[in-house]
Amino acid sequence: MEKWSTWKSFPNPHLRGRLTAPVGYGVYQLRNKDTKELILFGRASNVASRLCSLLPIPFGKGTRRSEVKKQYVFLNLESIEYRTIAFDTQIEAVTFERSLRKKFNHIFNT
């Protein structure tokens, strides 16, 4: 089984920050680095692309529909950090994501 990456600061688009994440199947998790409060999590067939959708236009891209999540991340950018875990298949990512939902409470638990 794969292991979580280390926690990394979410990149600031104003500073041309860089995102490090799997381009394939995986799961991501965000937290507040100051309080350690868990913010949100999710799975994707392209984790890097999905993480980019957490920022509002014109900084982010993708098809994420939750403006509340995007605004939360953007307004708290300096305190946000993320980690990722890669999987070989979508089924593995889905199973792991479901286990996160049962184990932890996040601000956005969907």
Side-chain angles (χ1 to χ4, degrees):
M1 176 155 154
E2 298 289 330
K3 289 182 11 180
W4 280 110
S5 69
T6 59
W7 288 102
K8 299 172 180 68
S9 293
F10 202 88
N12 186 328
H14 296 291
L15 303 175
R16 296 186 177 184
R18 300 219 172 164
L19 187 75
T20 304
V23 178
Y25 297 114
V27 173
Y28 61 89
Q29 186 176 42
L30 274 65
R31 73 175 180 183
N32 181 305
K33 67 182 173 185
D34 301 321
T35 67
K36 306 301 184 221
E37 183 176 28
L38 297 172
I39 298 167
L40 63 92
F41 64 97
R43 68 175 155 80
S45 58
N46 182 332
V47 178
S49 178
R50 191 68 175 153
L51 282 170
C52 288
S53 75
L54 284 168
L55 292 173
I57 303 293
F59 305 109
K61 58 184 177 180
T63 59
R64 186 178 298 269
R65 292 175 287 219
S66 177
E67 292 301 318
V68 174
K69 290 178 187 176
K70 289 194 242 184
Q71 287 301 317
Y72 182 93
V73 171
F74 190 68
L75 293 174
N76 295 283
L77 201 52
E78 297 302 316
S79 298
I80 303 288
E81 58 185 4
Y82 70 99
R83 67 181 180 170
T84 63
I85 185 168
F87 292 100
D88 292 327
T89 68
Q90 182 177 12
I91 292 171
E92 291 173 317
V94 168
T95 301
F96 189 82
E97 180 199 34
R98 287 181 181 151
S99 74
L100 282 181
R101 187 179 316 276
K102 293 176 184 174
K103 287 182 188 176
F104 302 105
N105 283 326
H106 295 76
I107 293 173
F108 301 101
N109 217 25
T110 59

